Amino acid sequence: MNKAIVRIPPDNNIVCIDYDIGFKMRYLQRDKDEVVSRALARIKLSYIKEKQSPKKKGKRNRQPPQQDSDVLQAFLLDGNGNRIDENITNGIAWSQAKQLIVGDKQYAIEVNPPKILSLRLPDTIMAQFPMVPILTAEFTDTIKYDWFTIAPDSNEETLVESKIVNHDSTQITAFIPQTQHVGSKLKVVCTPYNSQHTQGSDPSSVTVAAAITAGPGTCPCQMTHLYTKKRLTQPDSFRIVSYNVLADTYSSQEHTQKVLFPYCPPYALSIDYRKLLITRELYGYNADIICLQECDKDIFNQFYAPFMKGLGYDGIQDSKINNREGEATFYHMDRFNMIDHHCQSIGNTLKNDEIFEQICKCPTLKYRLLNRNSIVQIVTLQPKELENIRLVVVNTHFYFRPQASHIRILQGYSMLKCVEKYCEKFIGNDVRVLYCGDFNSHPRTALVKLMTTGSVQSNDPVWHEGGEEEFCENISLRNDKKCVSFTGYPQFTNFVNGFVECLDYIFGQPEHFQVEQVFPSMTEEVAAAYTALPSVVSPSDHVAIGCDLRLK
């Protein structure tokens, strides 16, 4: 008996029927709400056209298709062998059908078989670096991953790892090639199964085109990983990381390679290389929340998101205004449910604030502030076992130009006001806020002062930093929710030739969180081993910061 494959996706209104006539496959798509008699009529017509193909003998003696269609039988049978009513809809009929009869042909119907729709591996694979096969599947509950190495001389395949993983779950699908695999190619075979343990009839396989290469040696993040070997398990504690990963749109520029980072080999600035170092670093942190800055949208969609999904994370990326890069926040699905997501241009918030009238008196300052592309990304999480907690994670990246501290402090104030307004929707819940990101402000700046002491007065020197054209009188800022930097003030979080400074923070209110561990800081000696950052062992000009927090 021939086989007909029927797919009835739950997320659209189409029924897909795949069947063969002779040596040809037919692919029919019909509306779920259409009566099934019309689909059967289309199948009959295809059958008749195949029978009356010009390749067949007796072409002149054939009957017109309509006459043949009147005689030909085409119908569906259910599991008991009963004929299915042709006046019901496709959606109902095909889901009940077990056989399709067309003339003298019989088809066994398989409804929604598990299937791998697409599968690929990264182009570059290094020993000791975790990688995740990027795939899409439908009607699949579990997937068996069989990993093979292919010897370069004999093309002999050796099975090195096999595991079954629940699809769309938080189980880790990462595979880590070992040093002994260097020089071999890598192949993965993915076999899908459904909830009835039915195996898909066409498992998919893919072989990486290039051989597995050796890694660059010991990376600085490996020292930090000694402190993050185990995941946190207590419902009121979590590990959070913030990391400016250096956007590809900047690292790939000729100016960047020849002027900003001439000490870094061009191959080590390519995103194909750096993304392997970044994901290896994130993998080893075993974090619950990860905030990335300068995360390219396309690379997020094509690489970071599927890789992190393979580690049990879900995430959201928001690009800056008219830009390809922006902020991305990941959270581990074992630990949190996402309650809400919000993104806003950082300057627009001030338009509704009382200080905006004062800013409008200085058109140059107003223009410079409102024409920044910085955003505030807000992701609100609920710890799985703490229903009333709302953990509001703010992820941002402030203006980077020197002599712009007056712009950054207004951006910081705008962020605080934006979050204050946003949190009003959670009245009745226990709301805790964390401010993460690259603030482009060292610990002695007015912005850090606003975050930690709660105020910056109109006589502060910061207001004169933009010169006379951007000076605005009588601006005093207040922050009623004084914060601390939970990762402290390390010697640096940004280390490039000619500039070494702490710019990245995880701020929060000390009455809401208890710090249980702070990631050890990279030393100047380690950062300078390859002149500066980035390097062949450090993928960004920034270093990641992180800590373990417990809710008070």
Side-chain angles (χ1 to χ4, degrees):
M1 187 181 294
N2 298 299
K3 182 180 290 187
I5 303 298
V6 176
R7 293 183 174 86
I8 311 176
D11 53 352
N12 63 45
N13 200 41
I14 297 296
V15 175
C16 305
I17 305 119
D18 301 345
Y19 61 100
D20 69 277
I21 297 179
F23 296 102
K24 292 184 179 180
M25 286 298 300
R26 300 288 181 177
Y27 305 97
L28 184 65
Q29 292 189 353
R30 309 298 293 187
D31 195 296
K32 284 182 182 177
D33 297 326
E34 174 192 70
V35 292
V36 72
S37 60
R38 297 190 64 180
L40 293 171
R42 184 67 185 85
I43 291 171
K44 285 196 293 183
L45 186 59
S46 296
Y47 183 89
I48 292 166
K49 285 183 178 180
E50 174 63 22
K51 290 289 187 182
Q52 296 185 350
S53 167
K55 297 178 183 178
K56 310 294 182 184
K57 293 182 180 180
K59 176 179 178 182
R60 295 181 179 178
N61 298 324
R62 287 198 302 269
Q63 296 296 319
Q66 183 58 48
Q67 293 182 21
D68 285 350
S69 179
D70 293 339
V71 175
L72 185 70
Q73 291 284 319
F75 52 90
L76 297 173
L77 299 178
D78 62 20
N80 297 318
N82 298 319
R83 189 162 172 167
I84 292 177
D85 184 357
E86 295 183 9
N87 294 312
I88 63 176
T89 63
N90 281 315
I92 297 173
W94 290 102
S95 63
Q96 296 176 351
K98 296 300 180 184
Q99 286 189 56
L100 166 65
I101 310 298
V102 186
D104 57 356
K105 299 197 73 168
Q106 299 181 34
Y107 297 85
I109 294 176
E110 190 173 352
V111 179
N112 294 342
K115 183 177 178 63
I116 304 292
L117 299 178
S118 65
L119 174 65
R120 62 186 175 91
L121 292 174
D123 295 330
T124 304
I125 295 179
M126 292 192 293
Q128 302 296 329
F129 279 69
M131 48 79 59
V132 170
I134 299 170
L135 62 77
T136 56
E138 65 177 1
F139 312 119
T140 301
D141 293 283
T142 58
I143 297 175
K144 183 184 179 188
Y145 293 86
D146 291 315
W147 293 94
F148 299 84
T149 54
I150 304 175
D153 48 356
S154 64
N155 286 330
E156 180 181 351
E157 295 185 359
T158 302
L159 178 66
V160 293
E161 183 176 290
S162 181
K163 62 181 176 182
I164 295 178
V165 174
N166 288 331
H167 188 51
D168 288 332
S169 76
T170 58
Q171 288 185 276
I172 292 177
T173 59
F175 173 77
I176 304 178
Q178 299 303 307
T179 304
Q180 63 266 30
H181 300 148
V182 171
S184 299
K185 291 185 178 180
L186 188 66
K187 174 181 177 180
V188 63
V189 177
C190 295
T191 306
Y193 297 83
N194 62 20
S195 56
Q196 289 77 42
H197 307 291
T198 300
Q199 176 182 325
S201 58
D202 51 350
S204 296
S205 67
V206 64
T207 303
V208 68
I212 299 168
T213 60
T218 302
C219 297
C221 66
Q222 290 176 260
M223 297 302 297
T224 306
H225 292 168
L226 296 175
Y227 298 84
T228 60
K229 288 183 177 180
K230 296 182 179 180
R231 297 189 56 81
L232 302 182
T233 57
Q234 295 299 316
D236 60 346
S237 64
F238 59 94
R239 180 173 299 145
I240 183 168
V241 171
S242 183
Y243 195 6
N244 181 328
V245 294
L246 179 59
D248 177 53
T249 189
Y250 307 136
S251 67
S252 60
Q253 294 177 357
E254 184 178 358
H255 175 78
T256 301
Q257 297 181 358
K258 292 186 176 181
V259 179
L260 297 181
F261 309 134
Y263 46 83
C264 186
Y267 79 86
L269 283 173
S270 72
I271 189 59
D272 285 340
Y273 180 86
R274 292 194 304 111
K275 68 188 182 184
L276 296 180
L277 271 66
I278 291 167
T279 48
R280 181 195 196 185
E281 187 168 349
L282 299 180
Y283 177 84
Y285 288 142
N286 284 309
D288 301 297
I289 303 169
I290 298 173
C291 296
L292 303 181
Q293 301 84 46
E294 293 195 21
C295 181
D296 296 86
K297 186 176 186 64
D298 289 343
I299 298 167
F300 173 88
N301 291 329
Q302 297 168 14
F303 184 78
Y304 289 129
F307 179 93
M308 297 300 287
K309 182 180 179 182
L311 302 183
Y313 295 85
D314 199 0
I316 288 176
Q317 192 272 358
D318 291 299
S319 294
K320 296 174 184 174
I321 309 302
N322 299 320
N323 205 320
R324 289 164 46 191
E325 58 91 358
E327 280 57 79
T329 299
F330 292 97
Y331 61 94
H332 203 284
M333 293 181 285
D334 272 349
R335 304 299 311 278
F336 296 101
N337 295 316
M338 189 179 79
I339 300 298
D340 193 46
H341 161 240
H342 177 73
C343 180
Q344 185 168 321
S345 169
I346 205 165
N348 288 334
T349 303
L350 288 182
K351 291 181 178 180
N352 298 318
D353 193 86
E354 57 186 13
I355 71 165
F356 191 68
E357 182 178 349
Q358 195 67 20
I359 292 172
C360 288
K361 296 178 181 179
C362 181
T364 306
L365 176 62
K366 174 187 172 184
Y367 175 84
R368 195 174 181 195
L369 175 64
L370 296 184
N371 280 273
R372 304 281 64 81
N373 64 0
S374 302
I375 58 171
V376 178
Q377 182 190 61
I378 306 175
V379 175
T380 299
L381 305 173
Q382 176 227 314
K384 291 260 183 168
E385 300 179 44
L386 302 171
E387 292 185 3
N388 197 45
I389 294 289
R390 296 294 179 266
L391 184 60
V392 177
V393 180
V394 182
N395 189 4
T396 193
H397 185 187
F398 290 165
Y399 188 42
F400 71 97
R401 292 287 184 189
Q403 287 76 52
S405 291
H406 60 307
I407 301 296
R408 285 186 285 275
I409 192 172
L410 289 171
Q411 288 186 322
Y413 179 74
S414 177
M415 173 191 69
L416 292 166
K417 288 297 182 180
C418 173
V419 174
E420 180 183 351
K421 178 68 175 177
Y422 170 82
C423 288
E424 291 177 1
K425 66 171 67 179
F426 300 119
I427 292 175
N429 296 113
D430 185 353
V431 179
R432 316 288 182 96
V433 182
L434 289 169
Y435 302 92
C436 308
D438 178 358
F439 290 76
N440 271 312
S441 303
H442 61 71
R444 303 167 298 284
T445 55
L447 173 57
V448 175
K449 180 181 177 182
L450 176 66
M451 296 296 298
T452 57
T453 70
S455 67
V456 171
Q457 300 303 316
S458 59
N459 60 354
D460 194 285
V462 69
W463 303 118
H464 295 274
E465 188 158 327
E468 290 186 11
E469 285 189 351
E470 296 180 15
F471 174 69
C472 193
E473 293 183 305
N474 301 321
I475 296 183
S476 295
L477 305 179
R478 184 174 180 83
N479 170 25
D480 293 329
K481 302 183 186 300
K482 298 178 185 178
C483 297
V484 297
S485 172
F486 289 139
T487 50
Y489 303 101
Q491 181 185 1
F492 63 88
T493 63
N494 182 227
F495 192 106
V496 296
N497 256 350
F499 185 83
V500 177
E501 194 55 87
C502 173
L503 303 178
D504 302 79
Y505 304 92
I506 298 174
F507 288 114
Q509 292 177 257
E511 59 267 32
H512 287 166
F513 303 94
Q514 172 70 41
V515 179
E516 298 196 315
Q517 177 184 228
V518 177
F519 290 5
S521 303
M522 184 186 294
T523 65
E524 186 172 353
E525 180 183 14
V526 170
Y530 293 86
T531 304
L533 306 179
S535 70
V536 296
V537 293
S538 296
S540 175
D541 55 335
H542 287 248
V543 297
I545 58 173
C547 57
D548 296 352
L549 299 175
R550 184 182 293 274
L551 299 172
K552 286 186 177 180

